Amino acid sequence: MLNHPSAPTLHYLLLSLLLLACGWNKAACSLGEGRRIWQQPKPDPITKDQSFLHDTFPSGFLWGSGTSAFQTEGAWDQEGKGASIWDHFIHSTVSNKLATETADVASDSYTRWDKDVEALEYLGVRSYYFSLSWPRLFPDGNAKGRPNTAAVEHYSRLIERLLEKRIEPIVTLHHWDLPQVLQERYGGWKNDTLVGLFEEYAAFCFNTFGSRVRYWLTMHNPYLVAVQGYGTGVHAPGETGGPAGFLIVAHNLIRAHAKAWHTYNTHFRPAQKGKVSIVLGSHWVEPQRGQATAANVELCQQSIEAALGWFANPIFGDGDYPLSLKMKHGALLPTFSPEEKLWVQKTADFFALSFGPNNLRLGRGLVQYGQTVTPDLRRVLGWIKLEYGDPKVLVTEGGWFSEASVGKEDTVAIYLMKRFINQVLQAIRFDGVQVFGYAAWSLVDGFEWNYGFAVRRGLFYIDFSQPNRTRTPKTSAQYYRRVVTDNGFRSDETSREIKGRFPCEFHWGIADSTLQVHFYPFSPQFTDNRLYSWNLTGDGSLRPVPGVKMQTRRAQCTDYLAIRGHLRLFASTGASHYRFALNWSMILPQGDLSNVNTEALRYYRCVLYELKKLDLEAVVILYYPTHRAPNLGLPAPLQASGGWLNYSTVEAFQEYAALCYQQLGPWVPYWITVNEPNRLIDLYSTWKEKHQAAHNLLLAHAKAFRLYEKEHSGQQRALVSLALHADWAKPANPFLDSHTAAAQRFLLFELGRFLDPLLGTRYEEKHSKVDYPEEMKTYLEERARVMGLPGSPLPSFTETEREELRGTLGFIALNHFTTRLVSPYLHTQGNFQQKQPPDHGCVILSDPTWPSSSLGQALVPEGLRKILNWVSQRYGRALPIIVTASGVDDQAPVEDTLRQHFLRSYLQEALKARQLDRVNLQGFYVWKLQDRHAPQFGFFTSTHHQAKAKASIAVYRGIITHGGFPEDNATQTCRFSALHEPCSVCAWMFKNKAMLVFAGCLLITAVMLAALVIFVGITRRNQTRGRGRGVNRRRRREGVPVCSCPPVKC
């Protein structure tokens, strides 16, 4: 039995054959160039201005806003207006889910049109997009009949007022509100009779208003009219005819537009000199996993052609439907005759684009095989340029929606607007797209079609329960007003690079988490006590000698290959300081001194010793929370007894710290007691637990500090601190005081909670009580009262504890990675019962225009400078600040360009903080040395990936070598260099120590041999002399003269 190919399989077989044919006959297959947009590299977000461009739009750029008649006019049956298909749709039982919401009054713009003009003046825009109501002008839909005089006068008044205010009217003839009588009489747009009726209606409008209107739009987003109105039934008239219905509707809409354009071109353009187009909507789609293979690109092209290309290709392309639509729909798709193709083609004087939520929602149904729908307006504009020969483009609808509950404080809408407008600017400046105007949609809140009043899109808020329908500017209106006034985005002066160096004593560091302990030495000769014989049987093997046991020696520090290899990687970066953590649960498995892991301590001692030999300095963390259940990095018995909720853990930590100071202190110049206690407390479930844990962590730090100060500081002279996670907090909405207060409160809970009890603030008297921030205490008390709680969950310090806490920081250690947008959490009894809000009462957001890593970390370099200034201003400049961890994840195995950008930009901000703001910044540590598994934060890949050096190492080493960013780009020479750099002779000796040992052995052997030769020579000579004296004595005894000497003459 033969298996017939499935529909998708047949589709791709036909597509392959078609593409092959195109390869042979390019003339027969005139394809646009839009596919190139996916084949080109995507703009690199870390390249200057590619993530966000600070620049202005071309002079004369047409800023605007818009509305549609049905959504805002109201007065649905007043002054002679006839019913539209939308009036009928929302009043009928077909859409009973909207039965309680109608557009009968809506925004009441028919009577309050002058307030809309005032709103436009507030924004400062130069254009207003509005639509004429066909059933208001002609209640019976017949433009050959007598028009509704009241309607004509209304629109004339509006146009005249706009022109008085120097606002360009941009008029849409048909924005979905077809006269109901035409739907009932002809079946609406399914009947080609409407093509002629629309042409007559258009001719009337051109004739009546055309002398005062320079820009006409025949209809708005016909894709949604066809698919939603006649295919799915979600929109009016609510028909569910599927492809058979919506394909005919779309065909008639295209023909109606073309006929209206030709009418204007022939009869009105010579005198009025206006321009006519049609508003087309689109989504955007990216290939599966970003892989621009030929197959993936073709799928993306088909997705865009299924919406935008469906209408744009006949009008802006070759006069016919895209090939993919013909293959998809076959005989269902109507055809254009050769004459019609020429007649439809080029019936638009510019490209009018709608880019908003409606098309993006539907776009999700036009993707397959892992494609991603994204709101990337820049890419859509680039595709239009490539596909349709670089037309002039007017963005007639750009914007998003907010839930009705958001009200006037539409913070998220600001950032989406910022993103869309900046994408348009980038398309103009970088891609050469000829965009000449942008309309933020919509001017006022209105009736949002099938969503009713549940969502809002207006720049101006309207309370639909109030009869006066007052227009109140939302925060998005304030933002848009600023963009219009600036004609774009002013350049950020603070982002300019500066030149200069960090001081010689600056810490150039690398930060790691808990250092992995590898107990085994690299050679078994120190652990195997057996004696071996070699080659006893001639096979070259080693065999143990039975019954013989040898003495072994304990391993030396140099025997640990893991330590030497690890530090060799570190030394190659050029860094001078290494921050790592001890493993508390390994050193004291029981949490007390009853079981001390001396081998672990010896391993850490070896690490410190080897660092010292390399003339590198260590920053050692006593407790590094793992943020993982069940023990959070604590010894299991301590966690079992309540962990940081139990004061006994404070005492246990002091005992552990004493052991570490004693065993490791001589080699440690910097101690950190606890790493990021402000992140550790996030793991506790209730407010009371969070505050109690923070309280005990502070006491534990203070006790460890005082212990060191009392017993070790005089001899070891190290500095002790604790490290806090310190991301900058920026008000999410710059136009709201509540957001500014929330950002400040967030910083107090994050940093002030821990630093104020240790340092006080520079604004307090020197001998005032150190305590939690007053603002924090007041906020918690007030919230407890509002929530009906018995009291604030914040514990209190005793006088003794305050004195113990005061001044227990040798330096301020901050771990900084990114910037957060902060807005206030809306506290209600309902959402409090559903989920306990964060104790600081803030919601964290992110700006979509910020470049971000694969893990979602936003790169906001100026945030580092701001947090350093905040800390410096609050706590003074007496204590040095050290950034003890900062980094970004980068999935690139070697060419980690994102991390390179991070290092340059964040260290630039660090230099500005020090050089321009006089912040007492003394160090910067990059997180981290090596990846554990896949490429992420490390300078080196994991051992499983051969510990390969990444390109960012060269960047960091270069900055270290130059001491920052000097004018002359010369290497930094410091008089302190001897303290930080090993001498060249020592380095050579260390590198060639094996050869030196061998040479030493030879020298000793030679000396010993020489001594032996001398000794033997002297011994023999003495022996010879001894024999000679014996002979002489015998001769004397025998009377034989010893010698014949000449007589001495006197």
Side-chain angles (χ1 to χ4, degrees):
M1 179 178 176
L2 293 174
N3 291 322
H4 293 281
S6 63
T9 305
L10 187 60
H11 172 75
Y12 285 110
L13 285 172
L14 290 171
L15 180 62
S16 300
L17 289 171
L18 186 61
L19 290 174
L20 184 62
C22 289
W24 285 100
N25 187 3
K26 293 183 180 178
C29 299
S30 179
L31 299 177
E33 296 293 319
R35 291 167 177 79
R36 283 173 43 201
I37 197 77
W38 293 286
Q39 295 165 348
Q40 297 169 352
K42 282 194 73 174
D44 187 351
I46 65 171
T47 303
K48 183 173 174 59
D49 299 327
Q50 291 290 334
S51 59
F52 190 84
L53 175 59
H54 289 278
D55 201 351
T56 57
F57 283 81
S59 177
F61 192 78
L62 202 59
W63 294 105
S65 188
T67 59
S68 78
F70 173 77
Q71 291 179 280
T72 60
E73 280 187 354
W76 81 282
D77 61 351
Q78 296 178 21
E79 295 192 348
K81 178 184 177 294
S84 72
I85 57 173
W86 271 96
D87 292 320
H88 181 266
F89 184 64
I90 62 176
H91 288 147
S92 68
T93 57
V94 174
S95 188
N96 54 22
K97 64 181 178 179
L98 296 178
T100 59
E101 295 182 339
T102 69
D104 293 357
V105 181
S107 314
D108 200 19
S109 287
Y110 183 72
T111 57
R112 303 179 192 277
W113 58 271
D114 55 333
K115 301 300 181 184
D116 290 342
V117 177
E118 290 177 8
L120 293 165
E121 286 188 280
Y122 172 88
L123 295 174
V125 295
R126 295 180 50 242
S127 63
Y128 180 42
Y129 300 71
F130 67 93
S131 69
L132 306 175
S133 172
W134 191 348
R136 190 178 294 282
L137 284 165
F138 295 99
D140 62 356
N142 182 9
K144 285 187 175 180
R146 186 176 179 181
N148 179 357
T149 305
V152 173
E153 291 175 352
H154 164 71
Y155 292 122
S156 291
R157 283 195 300 269
L158 175 59
I159 293 171
E160 290 295 338
R161 181 67 62 83
L162 291 171
L163 292 175
E164 285 176 17
K165 302 297 183 180
R166 299 190 177 185
I167 298 173
E168 190 81 53
I170 300 179
V171 182
T172 303
L173 296 173
H174 177 53
H175 197 129
W176 304 1
D177 52 346
L178 185 73
Q180 175 64 19
V181 65
L182 299 184
Q183 181 67 33
E184 294 172 353
R185 185 178 302 165
Y186 300 108
W189 285 106
K190 292 184 297 182
N191 193 319
D192 63 0
T193 302
L194 264 70
V195 174
L197 293 174
F198 182 76
E199 187 271 336
E200 293 167 357
Y201 164 62
F204 169 83
C205 295
F206 295 150
N207 184 62
T208 305
F209 308 112
S211 62
R212 295 163 289 174
V213 176
R214 292 198 303 160
Y215 294 97
W216 290 98
L217 302 167
T218 56
M219 55 189 67
H220 186 91
N221 210 339
Y223 172 84
L224 294 176
V225 175
V227 174
Q228 298 280 66
Y230 294 86
T232 65
V234 174
H235 284 184
E239 296 190 4
T240 56
F246 66 64
L247 290 172
I248 293 173
V249 168
H251 196 71
N252 288 333
L253 288 167
I254 293 170
R255 293 171 66 235
H257 155 76
K259 196 153 193 174
W261 184 89
H262 280 290
T263 296
Y264 186 87
N265 193 56
T266 302
H267 302 291
F268 298 99
R269 190 188 302 276
Q272 297 178 2
K273 304 187 184 306
K275 296 181 183 298
V276 181
S277 188
I278 178 173
V279 179
L280 303 180
S282 185
H283 61 291
W284 185 249
V285 64
E286 290 293 343
Q288 181 183 25
R289 299 191 189 95
Q291 297 173 354
T293 63
N296 284 346
V297 167
E298 192 57 40
L299 289 171
C300 291
Q301 178 76 3
Q302 290 176 28
S303 179
I304 301 301
E305 287 178 346
L308 181 58
W310 183 3
F311 296 87
N313 213 64
I315 296 168
F316 295 93
D318 59 5
D320 202 357
Y321 294 117
L323 205 54
S324 58
L325 259 69
K326 294 181 179 181
M327 295 174 60
K328 180 178 180 180
H329 297 296
L332 286 177
L333 187 69
T335 59
F336 292 109
S337 67
E339 293 77 18
E340 282 181 318
K341 290 178 185 177
L342 294 174
W343 179 71
V344 169
Q345 191 179 19
K346 298 181 181 178
T347 55
D349 302 317
F350 56 91
F351 199 111
L353 177 67
S354 165
F355 193 74
N358 292 318
N359 271 89
L360 287 166
R361 287 192 196 103
L362 285 180
R364 295 190 183 98
L366 300 175
V367 298
Q368 51 189 327
Y369 305 111
Q371 295 159 296
T372 305
V373 175
T374 63
D376 197 331
L377 182 50
R378 177 182 175 183
R379 301 273 277 174
V380 176
L381 292 169
W383 185 87
I384 290 169
K385 176 185 177 181
L386 292 172
E387 187 73 12
Y388 300 118
D390 194 17
K392 291 185 177 181
V393 181
L394 183 63
V395 180
T396 59
E397 177 187 358
W400 208 248
F401 66 89
S402 300
E403 298 295 329
S405 59
V406 169
K408 297 182 282 289
E409 300 180 0
D410 54 343
T411 302
V412 174
I414 288 176
Y415 290 95
L416 292 170
M417 175 186 289
K418 176 183 177 184
R419 181 181 186 178
F420 287 152
I421 295 176
N422 203 258
Q423 286 175 344
V424 174
L425 181 60
Q426 290 176 345
I428 294 170
R429 296 300 186 195
F430 297 144
D431 308 328
V433 183
Q434 299 185 73
V435 184
F436 66 93
Y438 181 92
W441 196 271
S442 63
L443 178 64
V444 296
D445 284 339
F447 188 86
E448 290 300 327
W449 310 110
N450 51 307
Y451 293 96
F453 297 119
V455 299
R456 306 294 182 90
R457 295 189 66 190
L459 295 172
F460 286 78
Y461 173 79
I462 293 179
D463 184 348
F464 292 104
S465 67
Q466 299 298 316
N468 58 7
R469 298 298 200 264
T470 302
R471 278 90 165 121
T472 305
K474 300 180 184 179
T475 51
S476 59
Q478 297 177 58
Y479 180 77
Y480 188 51
R481 179 188 190 186
R482 190 167 74 186
V483 172
V484 172
T485 301
D486 295 341
N487 195 33
F489 307 93
R490 289 179 178 175
S491 63
D492 186 3
E493 296 295 328
T494 62
S495 66
R496 293 184 178 178
E497 291 189 359
I498 66 168
K499 297 296 182 180
R501 282 194 170 102
F502 293 93
C504 287
E505 64 272 17
F506 193 78
H507 294 204
W508 296 104
I510 293 177
D512 264 340
S513 56
T514 305
L515 194 66
Q516 298 299 303
V517 175
H518 303 278
F519 287 123
Y520 302 104
F522 71 89
S523 173
Q525 63 178 307
F526 307 120
T527 57
D528 189 349
N529 61 358
R530 293 176 293 180
L531 178 67
Y532 291 85
S533 63
W534 177 73
N535 205 27
L536 189 64
T537 58
D539 59 357
S541 62
L542 285 170
R543 298 180 184 276
V545 177
V548 179
K549 299 293 183 182
M550 306 291 291
Q551 281 230 325
T552 60
R553 70 164 175 85
R554 296 178 66 186
Q556 304 295 314
C557 288
T558 53
D559 299 331
Y560 289 105
L561 186 62
I563 294 176
R564 297 171 66 195
H566 191 73
L567 296 185
R568 188 162 49 246
L569 294 183
F570 177 83
S572 69
T573 65
S576 58
H577 290 69
Y578 185 35
R579 195 213 77 172
F580 65 90
L582 308 178
N583 190 332
W584 184 1
S585 60
M586 177 181 285
I587 294 172
L588 297 179
Q590 299 304 312
D592 56 30
L593 299 180
S594 64
N595 182 6
V596 179
N597 189 335
T598 56
E599 286 298 309
L601 282 170
R602 197 166 66 81
Y603 186 90
Y604 289 129
R605 203 158 44 240
C606 286
V607 173
L608 293 168
Y609 178 71
E610 292 295 321
L611 275 170
K612 200 72 174 177
K613 283 170 60 178
L614 294 171
D615 204 16
L616 301 171
E617 295 197 331
V619 179
V620 178
I621 300 170
L622 291 172
Y623 172 48
Y624 193 94
T626 60
H627 298 190
R628 289 193 301 271
N631 298 326
L632 309 180
L634 287 171
L638 294 182
Q639 181 66 13
S641 63
W644 288 109
L645 302 179
N646 192 329
Y647 186 79
S648 63
T649 304
V650 176
E651 297 169 330
F653 182 73
Q654 185 181 21
E655 191 176 47
Y656 163 62
L659 175 67
C660 295
Y661 294 154
Q662 181 186 11
Q663 296 291 320
L664 307 175
W667 298 279
V668 180
Y670 301 93
W671 288 100
I672 291 175
T673 55
V674 183
N675 185 68
E676 298 191 353
N678 50 347
R679 289 287 70 78
L680 173 60
I681 64 174
D682 289 342
L683 302 177
Y684 290 89
S685 56
T686 67
W687 293 340
K688 185 175 181 180
E689 289 182 350
K690 289 176 189 290
H691 293 300
Q692 188 60 55
H695 196 76
N696 286 337
L697 283 161
L698 275 169
L699 295 176
H701 160 76
K703 287 188 176 297
F705 184 97
R706 295 301 181 199
L707 173 70
Y708 188 88
E709 182 181 55
K710 179 180 179 182
E711 299 184 9
H712 302 282
S713 179
Q715 186 175 3
Q716 297 176 4
R717 299 185 181 280
L719 298 178
V720 182
S721 185
L722 85 166
L724 296 172
H725 191 102
D727 289 337
W728 175 241
K730 180 180 179 180
N733 196 318
F735 304 101
L736 297 173
D737 292 339
S738 61
H739 285 235
T740 302
Q744 180 68 10
R745 186 170 66 248
F746 178 85
L747 291 172
L748 290 175
F749 272 75
E750 283 284 286
L751 301 179
R753 182 208 304 258
F754 293 93
L755 293 179
D756 276 30
L758 305 179
L759 301 176
T761 71
R762 63 180 299 186
Y763 308 109
E764 297 171 344
E765 295 180 10
K766 185 175 182 181
H767 299 293
S768 64
K769 292 181 179 179
V770 292
D771 202 349
Y772 294 116
E774 283 299 323
E775 304 94 327
M776 178 181 174
K777 293 194 293 184
T778 302
Y779 176 79
L780 290 174
E781 289 167 2
E782 176 63 20
R783 192 169 69 170
R785 186 188 64 78
V786 171
M787 295 299 179
L789 300 175
S792 171
L794 194 64
S796 299
F797 295 113
T798 66
E799 285 301 322
T800 303
E801 288 172 340
R802 285 195 179 98
E803 285 307 310
E804 191 170 42
L805 286 165
R806 185 192 299 275
T808 54
L809 283 183
F811 60 97
I812 299 174
L814 306 176
N815 299 341
H816 174 83
F817 290 86
T818 188
T819 294
R820 313 284 184 181
L821 293 178
V822 176
S823 68
Y825 186 93
L826 298 177
H827 297 290
T828 64
Q829 196 66 33
N831 64 23
F832 174 74
Q833 291 173 351
Q834 292 173 10
K835 182 182 178 182
Q836 189 178 54
D839 60 353
H840 47 61
C842 299
V843 177
I844 308 302
L845 307 172
S846 185
D847 186 337
T849 66
W850 287 340
S852 60
S853 68
S854 56
L855 294 180
Q857 178 185 324
L859 272 70
V860 192
E862 61 269 21
L864 173 60
R865 182 181 178 186
K866 290 181 182 297
I867 195 68
L868 291 172
N869 272 280
W870 187 90
V871 171
S872 183
Q873 289 165 12
R874 186 171 179 86
Y875 303 107
R877 294 181 169 85
L879 285 180
I881 300 175
I882 298 176
V883 178
T884 47
S886 188
V888 69
D889 62 289
D890 192 325
Q891 291 186 335
V894 177
E895 292 298 327
D896 50 348
T897 55
L898 186 65
R899 184 176 295 103
Q900 295 174 52
H901 170 72
F902 179 94
L903 290 171
R904 293 189 185 100
S905 58
Y906 273 64
L907 280 166
Q908 259 288 318
E909 296 302 313
L911 182 63
K912 291 174 189 175
R914 181 177 173 85
Q915 189 165 295
L916 302 180
D917 309 328
R918 318 313 298 173
V919 173
N920 187 8
L921 180 65
Q922 293 292 340
F924 186 92
Y925 291 64
V926 180
W927 173 267
K928 64 183 192 168
L929 183 62
Q930 188 174 19
D931 295 320
R932 287 281 179 87
H933 303 291
Q936 244 183 34
F937 287 91
F939 273 128
F940 293 88
T941 60
S942 66
T943 53
H944 300 293
H945 293 83
Q946 291 80 46
K948 293 179 182 176
K950 300 179 186 177
S952 55
I953 291 177
V955 172
Y956 192 40
R957 191 192 300 115
I959 295 172
I960 294 172
T961 301
H962 297 105
F965 306 90
E967 287 277 4
D968 54 5
N969 208 32
T971 301
Q972 186 177 33
T973 56
C974 292
R975 53 197 180 106
F976 304 103
S977 59
L979 299 177
H980 300 283
E981 298 178 9
C983 66
S984 57
V985 174
C986 299
W988 182 87
M989 290 176 68
F990 183 79
K991 183 179 179 181
N992 300 285
K993 61 183 180 181
M995 184 181 71
L996 290 173
V997 170
F998 179 68
C1001 291
L1002 288 178
L1003 180 60
I1004 292 170
T1005 303
V1007 170
M1008 291 178 67
L1009 285 173
L1012 183 61
V1013 168
I1014 293 170
F1015 176 75
V1016 170
I1018 293 173
T1019 303
R1020 285 182 177 176
R1021 188 177 65 183
N1022 289 341
Q1023 289 175 352
T1024 302
R1025 287 178 179 175
R1027 285 195 297 271
R1029 284 195 295 270
V1031 172
N1032 291 338
R1033 283 195 295 269
R1034 287 195 302 273
R1035 287 180 176 174
R1036 287 194 197 102
R1037 287 195 296 266
E1038 295 171 359
V1040 179
V1042 176
C1043 63
S1044 177
C1045 296
V1048 178
K1049 294 181 180 180
C1050 298

